[in-house]
Amino acid sequence: VLKGISTDSDLAPSILAEEAAIYVSPWSFFTQTFFIREIVIESPSLSITQRALMEKLPPYKRASGKTPSVIVRRIEIHKGTLFYKGEDIISDLFLTEINATIQPDLNMQRFEVAVDGKGGRITARNVEKRIDRWGSKLAFLPGEISLKTSSVISGQTSLQVVGTVRPGEGSVLELQVDAALPIEEWGLSSLNGKRFTGKLNFQGRMAGPFPHLKVAGIASLPHLFSNG
């Protein structure tokens, strides 16, 4: 068990964790590969900037057919916290109560991730919104992140996203988006002295290098009501 873990770098995420427990598989004593059955990380805090997120990591290379010297079978994260500081569309993101399960393959090349959280806030275009709950299932592959499912709930606002992200400088996104936005939650309910209620629905595609994304889709406002 390791306690009081911390890392800090201008170009990499800053990580703090109260405790990390490492469970070693007995197979480690009979093979040339060190097997870690499970790593459990308690109450970690991750701070990351847009600059660090856009840094292109060097590709992981291993000799063809060679078994990794260390294989991790499962990683669990309990009650984590994330701080993100951006420079474009999203200026601040804060997420709490993060729980995650990470399952690498035996080649340590593919990482299946299931993550969810409760509570937080996001600031985009000087508009701050609370986040009630969120969750995602994704896979980290060499050079690509595959979003299998991803959802965010904030009040009556909901957002669902699937697609791919190719990280690095000029990260390229290809996403399918399904959103429901109550106009009263987004400051759009008052016009010419009249007050409106209703929900804006959007289904479409976002693609291109971040943050210069091209958006195409269909927006509808099926039920719009006015009290004036």
Side-chain angles (χ1 to χ4, degrees), residues 16-39:
L16 300 173
E18 290 184 3
E19 181 179 295
I22 301 175
Y23 301 90
V24 179
S25 170
W27 284 108
S28 299
F29 301 104
F30 305 102
T31 67
Q32 294 181 343
T33 299
F34 192 75
F35 283 90
I36 297 177
R37 178 168 56 85
E38 186 176 46
I39 299 175

Side-chain angles (χ1 to χ4, degrees), residues 72-108:
V72 180
R73 300 303 294 130
R74 182 183 178 92
I75 302 170
E76 286 197 4
I77 296 172
H78 299 159
K79 296 183 178 180
T81 304
L82 170 69
F83 301 88
Y84 170 76
K85 187 70 175 178
E87 302 170 4
D88 294 302
I89 299 173
I90 299 174
S91 56
D92 289 283
L93 176 64
F94 173 59
L95 300 174
T96 61
E97 293 293 323
I98 300 172
N99 295 294
T101 300
I102 305 168
Q103 294 181 295
D105 67 2
L106 288 172
N107 293 316
M108 298 297 290

Side-chain angles (χ1 to χ4, degrees), residues 19-218:
E19 181 179 295
I22 301 175
Y23 301 90
V24 179
S25 170
W27 284 108
S28 299
F29 301 104
F30 305 102
T31 67
Q32 294 181 343
T33 299
F34 192 75
F35 283 90
I36 297 177
R37 178 168 56 85
E38 186 176 46
I39 299 175
V40 179
I41 305 173
E42 300 288 348
S43 303
S45 176
L46 172 65
S47 298
I48 189 169
T49 64
Q50 181 176 326
R51 181 186 175 194
L53 193 63
M54 294 298 104
E55 279 291 316
K56 188 173 180 62
L57 298 177
Y60 174 71
K61 294 183 178 180
R62 190 176 70 248
S64 178
K66 187 177 180 180
T67 303
S69 58
V70 178
I71 294 177
V72 180
R73 300 303 294 130
R74 182 183 178 92
I75 302 170
E76 286 197 4
I77 296 172
H78 299 159
K79 296 183 178 180
T81 304
L82 170 69
F83 301 88
Y84 170 76
K85 187 70 175 178
E87 302 170 4
D88 294 302
I89 299 173
I90 299 174
S91 56
D92 289 283
L93 176 64
F94 173 59
L95 300 174
T96 61
E97 293 293 323
I98 300 172
N99 295 294
T101 300
I102 305 168
Q103 294 181 295
D105 67 2
L106 288 172
N107 293 316
M108 298 297 290
Q109 291 282 305
R110 181 186 181 96
F111 299 81
E112 297 285 345
V113 179
V115 58
D116 61 64
K118 296 179 181 178
R121 66 177 182 275
I122 183 171
T123 303
R125 302 295 192 192
N126 296 320
V127 176
E128 183 176 304
K129 290 285 293 181
R130 81 177 190 275
I131 297 174
D132 296 326
R133 62 185 186 276
W134 61 278
S136 184
K137 291 184 178 180
L138 58 159
F140 286 82
L141 311 170
E144 181 177 290
I145 301 171
S146 173
L147 286 171
K148 298 178 179 180
T149 63
S150 187
S151 64
V152 179
I153 303 295
S154 172
Q156 296 299 312
T157 297
S158 65
L159 174 67
Q160 295 184 339
V161 180
V162 298
T164 59
V165 178
R166 295 179 180 86
E169 187 176 354
S171 295
V172 177
L173 285 70
E174 296 180 9
L175 305 174
Q176 297 291 329
V177 180
D178 190 340
L181 312 172
I183 60 175
E184 55 269 32
E185 289 188 6
W186 291 86
L188 304 173
S189 59
S190 181
L191 180 64
N192 295 330
K194 295 183 178 181
R195 188 165 186 83
F196 296 90
T197 59
K199 184 176 287 188
L200 175 66
N201 298 320
F202 174 79
Q203 292 181 320
R205 179 174 180 267
M206 301 173 64
F210 183 84
H212 308 292
L213 300 174
K214 293 183 179 180
V215 181
I218 298 174

Side-chain angles (χ1 to χ4, degrees), residues 1-6 16-21 42:
V1 177
L2 305 177
K3 295 181 180 290
I5 301 167
S6 66
L16 300 173
E18 290 184 3
E19 181 179 295
E42 300 288 348

